[in-house]
Amino acid sequence: MRPLHLVVAIACAAVAQLGAAAVQNTSAGLQERDFLTRVRRLTVEGRRAGEGYYSPDGKRMVFQSERDPANPWYQIYTLDLTSGDVKRISPGIGKTTCAYFRPNSDQILFSSTHLDPKSKQLQDDELAFRASGQQRRYSWDYDPEMDIFALSEKTGSLTRLTTARGYDAESAYSPDGQWIVFTSMRDAYNRQLNATEKAALERDPSLFAEIYIMKADGSGQKRLTAEWGYDGGPFFTHDGTRIVWRHFDESGLYADIWTMKLDGTDQRQVTTFGSMSWSPFAHPSGEYFIFSSNKLGFENFELFIVDTAGTKEPVRVTYTDGFDSLPVFSPDGTQLSWTSTRGGGSEGQIFLAQWNHQKALEALRNAPPRTMNVRK
Amino acid sequence: MKRALVLATLLGLAPALYAQAPAAVASRTKTHVTTLASDAFEGRLSGSAGEQRASDYIISELQRVGAKPLPGQDGYRVPFEFTAGSRDGGSWVRLGGRVMQRFEQRADIQALSFSDNADVSDAPVVFAGYGIVVPDSQGFAYDSYATLDVKDKVVLVLRYFPEDAEAKTKGILSRYSDLRYKAMAARQHGARAILIVAGPNSPNAGEIVPMSFDTALAGSGIAAASISGAVADAMFATFGDPGKTLKAAQTALDDANPHAAGFEMPNVTVTIHTDVVREKKTGHNILAYLPASSGTTGVQKPWIGIGAHYDHLGRGEVGNSLAEKGDIGKVHHGADDNASGTSAVLALAESLASQPRKRNLLFQFWSGEELGLVGSSAYVAHPAVPLDQMAAYLNFDMVGRMQDNKLSVQATGSSPVWSRLVEQANISAGFDLQVQPDPYQPTDVASFNQASVPCINFFTGTHVDYHKPTDTADKINFEDLDRIVDFAAAIVKRLGDTPEAPTFTKVEQKTDTSGRAGVRIFTGTIPDYSTDVKGLLLSGVIGGGPAEQAGLQKGDVIVEIAGQTITNIYDYTYALDVLKIGQAAKVVYLRNGERRETMLTPAARK
C-alpha cells in the first residue's frame, strides 16, 4: 500500500493551513487540460480501486480493488486494456496490496496476508461488521503478517519472497526484472526495542518503515535506508540506475521525494515542498518525476511534476478537488493513470488520460528555481 | 545518445492504446435529431399533431431497419389516456347557519385540480389548523386532527405550514404540507370536503390556489377547494367574537406548538359543489422489436428494453417551460431533451439489427414523460411484454450535450450487473464516467425501477437551454452522441449474450417525497443533477430570478444556505423549506474554488 490514508485520516488543524499561504505560483496560467486530455475512468465496480500499474507492453494493468463480495479488503486484479476483461489473481483470502508486473517474465508480485491463519476469520468478521450497516473510517493497518509473493500467470503457482515478521509491501521490479525494491517494517520486530521505540511502535508502526532491495527470487535482502520516519513507495527509475521514494519526517505530516543509488548511497532530496509529498513515479524520458502532495490543502491531494534533479519548484498537474494520487506513466510515456475521487463520492477509482510530455517539459523549463521550505 | 534514441521511439512511434476513432464517419444520429427537433414537429407535445408527426418519423425509421410491431399488437403505437389540463367548471360554496352567503366567483372559490366532482349539503365545519399529519415513523409528533372529530364534516385548513416555527421543524412540516397530502389526511379522517385558505400571515395571503397542472385521470376521493380570505372571514364572523379571527387562529398555530388545536365552528354550515373539468387526451408510446436471432431456449428473461421519451414541451403550454420572457409561446425544440435520446435508440436499433443476439430487443419510445412519466407509467401498468421477462431496461434522456468527455450513468444501483458491464464497456469507450447508483431519477428509468426491472439511464447533464425554446439541434454534440450509442451497444451485446438474467436490487429511496418540499419557494436556480460535487452545482440561473439578482451564475457551487450546509440536492431542497419568502438569506458558494458569500431573497412561487 503506497498511500498513506492512515496519516491523512489524522485530523490536524495545525497543518490544515500548511502551504496555503505559500502556494507556489509556478503554474500560473496552466490548467489540468494543458497536461491531461481525454480523461476517462477505468474502474467502476466495487467500493474503491487504486494503484494501477501497467504491464511492460502497456496492454494490461494490475490493480487493487474492493470488489469481491466474499472479501471486504483489496484483492489484486488484472485488466485487459483492449477487451476490458478483469480477472482476480490474488488468493481471495486476507488483505492484499501493491502489485507489479515483472518485466521479461510471466510473474506478477503483490503483498498478501493469506498465509496468516487468522485471515479468514478476520475477513468474515469484517464482512459481518459491514453487513450490520456500520462503517469504519478508512485506514491502513500495516498488517505485520503482510509478505511479498510472486505469482506465475502461466502455472498459477505463488512463490513467497519475504518471510520476516513485519509489513513487507510497496514493492516494484527493476526494468530488467532482476531486482525488487520494497518497503519493510521488520526493523520493529527483529530486535529488542527500547522503551521509546516500543511506545512508537504502538503509536505508529510506519516510523520503522525502511527501503530494502532483494533479488527477484527473494534472496539477498538488504536494507538501504536508516533514517527514522516512514520511508516507502519506492520505484526504480526507468534506466534502472536509481531508486525514487518518499521519506516522512517523524511527525508523519511532512514527506518529500528522494532518490538514491541501488546500493543506498548518494541519497538526494528532490523536493523541499513543505507538505506531504509522496507516491513518486518516474517518466520514461528520465526527465522528471510525478508525485502527489497536499500542498493546496490538507485533504486535497494534487499531482505535481518535478525535474529529476530537483533544481526547480514542482509544477502542478491536476486541478480537481479531492484525492489525486498514485500516478504512473504508461511504458511509452504517452498516458498517465492515477487514483482519484473525481468520479464522485469519497472513494478512489482509477483514471486514465493522455499525457502531454512536451507541455510538461516546457512547464518545468519555466518553473522557478527550487526554494528551500525549511520548517521549524 | 542511445537512451535518447530509445525514448524517441517510445514517445513518438509506439501506437497509443486509445487512439481516437478515425474521423469523417457520417453521424448516425444527426439526421434524426435535426428532424425531430425541427419547427415542423412543434415541440412534440403529448397528444398533439407534433407528437403524431414525430411518431410517424420514428415508425418509418423502425420499419427501415426491420424492427417489427410486437406480436398481437395492432401496429407500433400503444395509446394511453391522460389529463392534458383542468379548469373549474363552476364550483360554488354556500354558507348556512348564522350566515347565509353564496360564493361562486373564481376569485372566491375554485376546486383544486385533484378534487372529486361532488356535492356536500349543510355539513358542519371544523377548523383543522394547518391540516398536517406527520407520520409516526418520523418520530415527530404533529397531528392537526389529534383532538378533532371531523367525520362527515367539512374541514377548513390553512395553506402551507406554521410560519414562525424553528427551521428544523419547518423542514419536517413542509414535507407534509402538500395540498394533495392534506386532502388525503382529511379524507382518511372521514371528512367529506376540505377547504383551503392561505392565511393572513402566509405568502399569497387570502388568494385562491391556481389550478395546477395535474395529470391524474380522476379525483382523489374527496371534494377539495380553495377559498378566498373573504369566505373564511365570513365563516369566522359567525363566532361573533372580534378576538376569534382567522388571523388570530393562524397566529396561535404559527410557532408550531403541537398542542395548539383546531376547533369546531358551530355556527356555520357549508354546502359545496365542486366541478373540475378534465380535458382528456390520448398520447402514444411506440413499441417495436428485433427478435433474437437464434431462438431464446435456455435464456432467462429473454427480453431487453431500450427506450427514450420522444415527447417534449410543445410551445410550453403545460407549465414546466423555463422560456425567457421574449420566448414564451415559441416552439420548444427539445433537441437534447429528448430528440437526442430518441435518436440514440434509433441508431442502436439500426446497429443492433445486423448483429446476432440471444435475446429479443424491445425498442420503446415514450410519450408523456414531460407530464410526469405518464407514458412509461401507463406501459408498466399494462406491459406488452411481461415485466418478469425483461432482463434489463436501458434509458436515454438528454444525451446530446456532452462536455469534457463526462457521461453520467444513473440508476446503476438497480443491479450489480451494471458496474461490471459499464466498467468493461468503458475500457474502449473511454468516458470520464460519473456513476450515480440512485434509481429514483426524474426520467422513465424510474418506472422500470418501480417495476423491479434492472435499469440504467444515460445522461450528459443539464444546461442553460434546458426546457427552453433554445434547446436546438445546432447545439448538439453529435460526435459524442454517437460514442454513447457505441458504448450502449457494447453493454446490450454483453447483456444479450449472457444466458443468465441480471438480478434486481431494491434501492431505498433517499428522502421521503410524499410532501413536495420547498414548492412555494422560488430561488431561480437551475441545479446540475449530473454531478456528484459536494454542494449544489448550478448549471444556470433563471433570468431576473432571485439567484441572478444575488449575483449567482452558472458554475457556482452552493455550499451553505441560511446556516445549513449543502452537500447535495437533497440538502438543498430541505434547506429551501426553511427559507422565508421575501427574507434575505445568506448563501455561501464556491466560484472557481474561491469561497464567497451573497444574500439571496427568495420569492413566492404562485
Side-chain angles (χ1 to χ4, degrees):
Chain A
M1 177 85 207
R2 290 165 188 105
L4 285 151
H5 291 97
L6 187 71
V7 182
V8 176
I10 301 168
C12 181
V15 293
Q17 304 291 331
L18 100 136
V23 171
Q24 308 299 310
N25 222 7
T26 58
S27 40
L30 289 171
Q31 293 180 348
E32 195 164 285
R33 68 170 70 101
D34 289 317
F35 301 102
L36 305 178
T37 49
R38 278 189 40 83
V39 173
R40 68 214 90 148
R41 179 166 166 173
L42 277 190
T43 56
V44 174
E45 196 179 355
R47 268 161 64 98
R48 54 173 82 94
E51 301 220 34
Y53 299 97
Y54 285 91
S55 61
D57 64 4
K59 291 179 177 166
R60 290 197 295 161
M61 193 169 266
V62 63
F63 67 100
Q64 61 195 31
S65 173
E66 288 186 13
R67 59 172 63 191
D68 183 346
N71 187 309
W73 296 306
Y74 283 130
Q75 289 294 305
I76 305 297
Y77 299 82
T78 56
L79 165 64
D80 185 313
L81 291 170
T82 311
S83 70
D85 288 337
V86 170
K87 188 180 159 201
R88 194 188 80 209
I89 60 160
S90 54
I93 296 168
K95 302 165 196 165
T96 63
T97 189
C98 299
Y100 210 86
F101 282 99
R102 181 176 180 187
N104 311 311
S105 162
D106 73 326
Q107 286 188 318
I108 299 173
L109 69 67
F110 56 88
S111 294
S112 176
T113 65
H114 68 280
L115 294 183
D116 177 5
K118 296 195 302 293
S119 250
K120 184 77 176 89
Q121 188 59 48
L122 289 169
Q123 173 176 331
D124 292 344
D125 291 350
E126 178 67 15
L127 281 175
F129 179 80
R130 289 191 191 175
S132 72
Q134 303 176 77
Q135 290 210 351
R136 298 177 211 282
R137 179 136 195 195
Y138 181 74
S139 74
W140 188 243
D141 62 2
Y142 306 108
D143 194 321
E145 305 305 326
M146 191 75 93
D147 279 310
I148 301 171
F149 296 82
L151 172 85
S152 161
E153 286 199 279
K154 276 198 199 106
T155 67
S157 68
L158 202 55
T159 309
R160 185 174 184 177
L161 302 179
T162 62
T163 54
R165 179 160 169 79
Y167 170 87
D168 292 321
E170 307 181 14
S171 37
Y173 285 105
S174 59
D176 63 5
Q178 298 306 305
W179 296 91
I180 295 170
V181 64
F182 66 103
T183 304
S184 177
M185 297 180 189
R186 59 186 62 180
D187 190 42
Y189 303 93
N190 60 10
R191 63 188 170 88
Q192 216 38 50
L193 299 183
N194 64 35
T196 315
E197 288 172 329
K198 273 183 188 158
L201 180 61
E202 283 291 302
R203 194 175 76 246
D204 181 7
S206 76
L207 285 167
F208 293 85
E210 302 294 347
I211 306 296
Y212 292 73
I213 194 167
M214 63 182 169
K215 290 276 218 22
D217 63 1
S219 66
Q221 301 187 8
K222 183 190 166 195
R223 179 168 167 177
L224 301 182
T225 56
E227 287 285 315
W228 190 236
Y230 190 176
D231 293 285
F235 292 99
F236 290 90
T237 57
H238 282 63
D239 63 2
T241 60
R242 293 184 75 82
I243 290 165
V244 59
W245 88 102
R246 58 106 210 292
H247 170 72
F248 269 83
D249 75 348
E250 268 188 68
S251 74
L253 296 171
Y254 295 90
D256 274 302
I257 309 305
W258 291 66
T259 65
M260 62 182 161
K261 288 187 176 165
L262 307 196
D263 60 2
T265 64
D266 192 26
Q267 298 193 352
R268 296 186 195 177
Q269 187 168 354
V270 180
T271 63
T272 42
F273 211 25
S275 57
M276 192 189 292
S277 301
W278 56 290
S279 73
F281 197 87
H283 189 266
S285 66
E287 298 280 352
Y288 50 88
F289 299 117
I290 190 163
F291 65 96
S292 174
S293 178
N294 65 351
K295 186 75 181 174
L296 300 154
F298 191 64
E299 293 201 337
N300 179 24
F301 285 89
E302 301 285 6
L303 299 181
F304 294 81
I305 47 174
V306 64
D307 61 295
T308 45
T311 61
K312 299 289 190 72
E313 274 298 304
V315 172
R316 185 177 178 183
V317 168
T318 55
Y319 288 75
T320 303
D321 279 357
F323 185 79
D324 290 287
S325 191
L326 297 158
V328 296
F329 291 109
S330 59
D332 67 4
T334 61
Q335 294 179 348
L336 179 78
S337 175
W338 75 109
T339 304
S340 176
T341 53
R342 62 185 57 210
S346 58
E347 310 296 354
Q349 297 285 350
I350 303 174
F351 286 75
L352 186 68
Q354 299 307 119
W355 174 252
N356 190 335
H357 176 60
Q358 292 310 322
K359 193 76 187 181
L361 291 177
E362 183 192 316
L364 286 167
R365 268 198 305 277
N366 296 335
R370 175 176 164 193
T371 54
M372 297 293 163
N373 288 304
V374 182
R375 288 176 281 106
K376 293 170 193 168
Chain B
M1 292 305 287
K2 186 174 164 226
R3 200 179 79 175
L5 270 176
V6 171
L7 287 166
T9 313
L10 285 174
L11 292 170
L13 303 177
L17 264 174
Y18 292 87
Q20 295 265 7
V25 178
S27 169
R28 288 159 287 154
T29 50
K30 188 170 183 173
T31 306
H32 298 321
V33 174
T34 310
T35 305
L36 291 166
S38 62
D39 283 342
F41 289 73
E42 296 175 324
R44 311 183 302 278
L45 184 66
S46 283
S48 73
E51 184 212 67
Q52 171 79 26
R53 192 162 300 172
S55 64
D56 287 345
Y57 176 79
I58 292 166
I59 289 167
S60 71
E61 286 299 304
L62 289 168
Q63 285 170 328
R64 187 175 63 79
V65 304
K68 298 182 288 197
L70 283 171
Q73 295 274 330
D74 180 17
Y76 293 90
R77 286 187 182 83
V78 182
F80 61 91
E81 198 178 51
F82 65 98
T83 299
S86 34
R87 60 183 171 82
D88 195 294
S91 301
W92 53 262
V93 62
R94 194 181 67 228
L95 307 183
R98 279 203 188 158
V99 62
M100 290 291 281
Q101 206 170 345
R102 183 182 151 109
F103 299 87
E104 56 183 26
Q105 299 298 314
R106 288 291 76 81
D108 281 325
I109 175 163
Q110 180 162 281
L112 298 176
S113 57
F114 51 81
S115 173
D116 269 8
N117 291 337
D119 285 284
V120 176
S121 294
D122 292 321
V125 181
V126 176
F127 174 69
Y130 278 96
I132 294 173
V133 180
V134 178
D136 291 344
S137 60
Q138 300 301 303
F140 180 89
Y142 192 100
D143 181 354
S144 296
Y145 294 93
T147 59
L148 302 175
D149 174 14
V150 301
K151 188 157 170 37
D152 296 327
K153 298 173 186 167
V154 169
V155 293
L156 171 64
V157 306
L158 292 158
R159 194 179 177 187
Y160 304 125
F161 44 84
E163 292 294 328
D164 298 326
E166 55 146 333
K168 195 168 163 124
T169 303
K170 244 171 156 173
I172 294 168
L173 295 182
S174 69
R175 280 165 209 279
Y176 302 98
S177 65
D178 178 63
L179 293 178
R180 250 183 187 281
Y181 188 79
K182 288 186 178 185
M184 184 186 78
R187 192 189 73 220
Q188 285 173 348
H189 285 85
R192 297 180 66 190
I194 180 170
L195 300 178
I196 306 276
V197 62
N201 302 342
S202 297
N204 304 313
E207 288 176 26
I208 291 291
V209 180
M211 185 73 79
S212 65
F213 176 73
D214 197 302
T215 54
L217 289 171
S220 57
I222 188 169
S226 161
I227 57 170
S228 67
V231 180
D233 287 344
M235 293 165 76
F236 270 84
T238 60
F239 281 111
D241 175 353
K244 203 139 191 182
T245 60
L246 179 61
K247 184 171 176 68
Q250 182 180 22
T251 304
L253 290 158
D254 271 353
D255 62 1
N257 175 1
H259 303 295
F263 41 78
E264 293 189 10
M265 304 183 81
N267 305 329
V268 63
T269 61
V270 160
T271 299
I272 183 167
H273 170 77
T274 51
D275 187 353
V276 181
V277 179
R278 296 185 173 85
E279 188 196 356
K280 298 281 200 303
K281 280 195 178 172
T282 301
H284 296 87
N285 294 328
I286 302 166
L287 303 177
Y289 86 118
L290 289 167
S293 48
S294 54
T296 56
T297 320
V299 178
Q300 286 179 354
K301 303 192 175 186
W303 291 84
I304 295 172
I306 302 170
H309 77 85
Y310 73 98
D311 69 307
H312 193 54
L313 303 177
R315 293 176 179 270
E317 48 271 70
V318 291
N320 45 1
S321 163
L322 295 172
E324 313 273 355
K325 267 207 179 98
D327 275 351
I328 289 172
K330 291 187 180 165
V331 170
H332 288 53
H333 297 89
D336 184 36
D337 185 9
N338 185 28
S340 68
T342 305
S343 305
V345 177
L346 287 173
L348 265 168
E350 181 160 17
S351 101
L352 293 169
S354 57
Q355 294 182 23
R357 57 193 166 264
K358 293 195 173 124
R359 284 191 169 85
N360 308 305
L361 302 180
L362 175 60
F363 299 96
Q364 304 171 287
F365 300 85
W366 313 115
S367 188
E369 193 272 354
E370 301 286 12
L371 310 176
L373 318 185
V374 179
S376 59
S377 301
Y379 175 83
V380 167
H382 303 283
V385 172
L387 293 168
D388 62 7
Q389 295 299 298
M390 301 285 293
Y393 171 72
L394 290 81
N395 193 67
F396 300 81
D397 195 353
M398 298 175 64
V399 285
R401 292 284 196 107
M402 181 172 290
Q403 282 183 26
D404 297 334
N405 201 31
K406 284 194 196 309
L407 174 65
S408 291
V409 288
Q410 303 176 315
T412 53
S414 64
S415 172
V417 78
W418 294 126
S419 58
R420 200 172 315 140
L421 289 172
V422 162
E423 177 177 283
Q424 180 155 41
N426 196 49
I427 294 300
S428 53
F431 291 112
D432 188 357
L433 292 175
Q434 312 277 314
V435 180
Q436 299 174 339
D438 188 358
Y440 298 93
Q441 301 292 340
T443 178
D444 296 303
V445 79
S447 301
F448 284 84
N449 177 62
Q450 213 64 43
S452 302
V453 176
C455 50
I456 190 169
N457 183 52
F458 301 88
F459 177 44
T460 52
T462 185
H463 42 77
V464 288
D465 300 307
Y466 173 72
H467 279 200
K468 290 181 187 168
T470 48
D471 178 7
T472 47
D474 57 305
K475 293 170 184 159
I476 297 297
N477 175 349
F478 292 107
E479 196 181 317
D480 286 329
L481 176 54
D482 286 354
R483 286 176 64 215
I484 294 170
V485 171
D486 293 337
F487 180 53
I491 292 173
V492 171
K493 178 109 183 68
R494 288 270 168 186
L495 271 175
D497 287 351
T498 310
E500 296 78 31
T503 54
F504 173 76
T505 307
K506 171 116 182 107
V507 177
E508 291 304 319
Q509 201 160 358
K510 271 191 192 160
T511 51
D512 189 333
T513 55
S514 58
R516 293 280 306 283
V519 287
R520 66 181 195 158
I521 286 275
F522 176 66
T523 59
T525 53
I526 306 174
D528 184 338
Y529 292 92
S530 69
T531 82
D532 270 335
V533 299
K534 274 198 180 144
L536 183 87
L537 175 62
L538 299 183
S539 71
V541 293
I542 291 169
E548 188 184 73
Q549 287 168 16
L552 293 170
Q553 62 187 45
K554 174 179 156 75
D556 290 346
V557 179
I558 296 179
V559 294
E560 190 183 308
I561 290 184
Q564 306 218 1
T565 53
I566 310 292
T567 58
N568 54 44
I569 185 86
Y570 301 102
D571 289 350
Y572 183 68
T573 51
Y574 182 83
L576 289 188
D577 298 343
V578 304
L579 295 184
K580 269 202 137 179
I581 289 157
Q583 193 171 315
K586 188 172 92 175
V587 174
V588 182
Y589 63 101
L590 304 176
R591 180 171 294 169
N592 303 322
E594 186 194 331
R595 211 174 154 89
R596 299 187 182 199
E597 286 181 18
T598 183
M599 298 300 284
L600 182 150
T601 307
R605 197 182 284 281
K606 290 285 172 178

